[in-house]
Amino acid sequence: MTKLHFTISHKLPGTLARAGVIQTPHGAIQTPAFIVGGTKATVKALTPQHVYDLGGQAVLANTYHLMLQPGAEIVQRAGGLGVFMHWDRPTFTDSGGFQVFSLGMAYKKGIDATSHSQKGESAQAVHSHGQLAKVTDEGATFRSHLDGSTHTMTPESSMELQHAIGADIHMAFDELTSPLAGREYIKKAMDRTHVWAERCLARHAALNAEHQEHGEPLQALYGVVQGAREEDYRRESAAFLGERGFDGYGIGGVFEPEEIPEVVRWVTETLPEDRPRHLLGMGAQPADLFLGVEYGIDTFDCVAPTRQARNGALYTYDGRINIRNQKFSQDFTPISSECGCYVCQNFTKAYLNHLFKADEMLGATLASIHNEWFVVHIVDTIRESLRNGTFFAYKEQFLARYYGADRAAAFLKLRV
RNA sequence: GCGGAAGUAGCUCAGUUGGUUAGAGCGCCUGUUUGUGGCACAGGAGGCCGUGGGUUCAAUUCCCAUCUUUCGCC
């Protein structure tokens, strides 16, 4: 069973932070690591060579999107996700659970899984607004955001789809709860997620047995911890899943960035220490990355760097800028003179400003290269700082400059 | 020169038989984006309604003149 090995080489005393290596059939991931978002088997606007050059160690694709288009079978016939998209390093797939709730059922209905505007409604009520989407103990029935067609996803089908897609690391199929959900529904969803997790394990084991018969590489499965913002549920979920022998653990759900330290700590304190932890969908802002690592996260994925890049929001060491702003039209300096990325070595803000104003595709590409490099580089440097004991110095210096002293102080006073 | 059409936001236009703070799309300016709907969303600025007279309680709207653009015809 060589599907995944995780070794921890450094721990930071007084925190939950650690540095290590995840070994997969497609190579190693040095942790902490920022996993690049490649939802539809493509990192939007970038070629795999760009991703490689900016230091991306692994890519995370999405089961929901790929099952709808082009279909998991086509990815499988192509030779699996990595071959299909020409990415020969490690790959992850998300289970599709999140998208069933965030896209499939509430798409353009004014109800966003992350919305806090519809106060007082239970998760059940929010779910029911999604028209034809239905969650039962068996699985979730939802409508495609592409053509409205009806689909059902179960723990078993998610495993089958993920094995067909063939990433190195899979996520268990879970139920997302709305931030508006009450404790009663949060518990119900968590319990259901736990039952689903065991069904995922069973199907996953059977599928891996088939791989073994055919001499194919085995795939790893992460259990996904739920429990929203309730400490007892989070700990219960982490304990329950932690005893089931998953290869690693995802931390799911929807919560505010400010809540990362607390929610993550409940979970990572409870999970088995020797397995990698992945924070699902979070890690856009530098503070998220520093705090996530400090509280025990090994890998992050987040689409924000590329999504924001496509809309002109670029990261610099002095904070975020909007490259479309008029003041950049005659600024012939790089986005950041200290940045080592391809874009900052070769292009000016005035040029980027022009590309965005002219709606040229290259703007999205260059902006994505820069933002993704920036975030990957932060996590790389954090990893290095864990190895040589300079984490807190790096954190304080970086955050103070990025957010300004006042805002940074709030992040800095947090300690485990 | 004659006849027709048109002048309203940077651009293309709408403006209900004359009636409160004259609208839209695009553009422009600013902001937002966290298990991805790439090209999205939110907010904002910007008009002596060509010019000058007249009618009227009231004119972007009706009348006259004038300027400009445009189409057709000599």
Side-chain angles (χ1 to χ4, degrees), chain A residues 144-165:
Chain A
S144 163
H145 71 281
L146 296 176
D147 62 8
S149 57
T150 301
H151 302 263
T152 296
M153 188 178 277
T154 65
E156 289 78 13
S157 73
S158 178
M159 289 299 100
E160 286 154 16
L161 290 163
Q162 291 191 71
H163 275 265
I165 291 165

Side-chain angles (χ1 to χ4, degrees), chain A residues 5 28 87 114 148 158 196 256 346 388 412:
Chain A
H5 280 305
W87 174 256
T114 63
S158 178
W196 287 0
E256 294 297 317
N346 298 290
N388 63 25
L412 295 172

Side-chain angles (χ1 to χ4, degrees), chain A residues 29-108:
Chain A
I29 301 169
Q30 305 290 326
T31 67
F34 186 83
I35 311 303
V36 178
T39 306
K40 296 190 240 181
T42 167
V43 180
K44 293 186 194 299
L46 302 183
T47 67
Q49 187 67 46
H50 290 134
V51 179
Y52 184 92
D53 290 343
L54 64 82
Q57 301 191 70
V59 165
L60 182 143
N62 196 289
T63 304
Y64 169 88
H65 293 83
L66 292 175
M67 74 177 276
L68 295 177
Q69 192 177 56
E73 231 186 281
I74 286 179
V75 179
Q76 183 173 36
R77 283 171 56 196
L81 177 64
V83 174
F84 189 45
M85 68 181 288
H86 189 54
W87 174 256
D88 62 8
R89 292 181 162 196
T91 48
F92 291 63
T93 40
D94 194 2
S95 68
F98 185 86
Q99 285 67 34
V100 164
F101 296 98
S102 68
L103 300 180
M105 59 189 294
Y107 182 63
K108 281 188 177 170

Side-chain angles (χ1 to χ4, degrees), chain A residues 276-290:
Chain A
R277 299 88 174 248
H278 181 90
L279 185 58
L280 285 157
M282 302 200 77
Q285 292 212 32
D288 304 343
L289 302 170
F290 284 96

Side-chain angles (χ1 to χ4, degrees), chain A residues 254-269:
Chain A
V254 175
F255 46 94
E256 294 297 317
E258 303 78 53
E259 298 168 322
I260 287 176
E262 193 171 40
V263 174
V264 167
R265 179 170 63 83
W266 298 334
V267 173
T268 56
E269 280 181 348

